[in-house]
């Protein structure tokens, strides 16, 4: 458990084009996480293949890369207590068929191939993904309210 744990959250091209970016940011803000990096980026297939390197060889891999390269994504780093695990809970199950209502996917998605958002699945993968998407580093700052909110 670390108050300073970081996770990499990404709004996928379908989330950007459907206008859900603001709601996703709002959910993380309201939950109590601190925004420490944010950018809109149209990623290259090579960059996405590196991000999804673990999935190379899966039947859906080429389609996944094509989908992810079809338009800009919103890349973000959120910092706070148990950011990785809580971030995954907020996203909901990978397949929207199983995503609980109240989660991002459970509220907005129907198909696993168009599931709106990505969230790191472990602290180590979060750090790897943050380096890949933000080689320039993230922003360091202190919120005044950090004395009474995580
Ligand atoms: P993500 O990395 O996007 O947060 O998703 P995840 O860890 O929950 O799931 P993972 O198994 O790593 O899959 C990554 C993304 O690949 C797409 N996918 N399509 N059967 C399929 O067509 C299929 N399975 C997975 C989804 O977009 C999933 O989020």
């Amino acid at each position: 458990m670390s108050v300073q744990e970081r996770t990499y959250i990404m709004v996928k091209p379908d989330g950007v084009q459907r206008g859900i970016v603001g709601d996703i940011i709002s959910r993380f803000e309201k939950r109590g996480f601190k925004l420490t990096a944010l950018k809109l980026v149209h990623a290259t297939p090579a960059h996405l293949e590196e991000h999804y390197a673990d999935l190379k060889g899966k039947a859906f891999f080429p389609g996944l890369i094509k989908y992810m390269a079809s338009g800009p994504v919103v890349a973000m780093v959120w910092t706070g207590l148990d950011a990785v695990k809580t971030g995954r809970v907020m996203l909901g199950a990978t397949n929207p068929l199983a995503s609980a209502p109240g989660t991002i996917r459970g509220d907005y998605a129907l198909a696993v191939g168009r599931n709106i958002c990505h969230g790191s699945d472990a602290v180590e993968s979060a750090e790897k993904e943050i380096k890949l998407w933000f080689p320039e580093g993230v922003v360091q700052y202190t919120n005044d309210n950090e004395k009474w909110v995580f």
Side-chain angles (χ1 to χ4, degrees):
M1 180 184 97
S2 162
V3 172
Q4 289 309 311
E5 189 170 292
R6 311 192 295 174
T7 190
Y8 175 68
I9 300 290
M10 171 163 59
V11 185
K12 296 179 176 180
D14 50 337
V16 173
Q17 290 170 40
R18 288 179 53 196
I20 300 167
V21 173
D23 181 66
I24 293 173
I25 291 174
S26 186
R27 287 174 185 233
F28 278 84
E29 284 182 328
K30 287 179 194 163
R31 188 70 191 252
F33 292 114
K34 177 175 158 186
L35 182 62
T36 46
L38 172 77
K39 67 182 170 192
L40 182 72
V41 45
H42 197 152
T44 62
H47 185 90
L48 292 160
E49 280 170 21
E50 195 172 342
H51 173 81
Y52 281 123
D54 290 356
L55 300 175
K56 217 169 187 161
K58 298 267 185 199
F60 60 81
F61 187 77
L64 173 62
I65 300 302
K66 201 171 161 198
Y67 152 55
M68 291 297 298
S70 68
V73 300
V74 174
M76 299 180 278
V77 178
W78 290 92
T79 301
L81 183 67
D82 293 323
V84 170
K85 274 195 184 141
T86 300
R88 295 280 288 189
V89 171
M90 290 169 69
L91 262 51
T94 303
N95 190 338
L97 255 179
S99 313
T103 64
I104 295 164
R105 289 164 175 158
D107 287 349
Y108 293 121
L110 291 171
V112 68
R114 294 289 182 276
N115 64 357
I116 303 285
C117 47
H118 160 84
S120 308
D121 61 5
V123 172
E124 304 72 51
S125 38
E127 290 304 318
K128 222 161 94 186
E129 290 168 3
I130 291 167
K131 259 197 207 112
L132 176 67
W133 289 90
F134 293 97
E136 69 275 27
V138 307
V139 179
Q140 307 290 343
Y141 64 100
T142 305
N143 281 342
D144 281 348
N145 65 11
E146 277 179 22
K147 295 179 199 87
W148 47 272
V149 169
F150 284 121

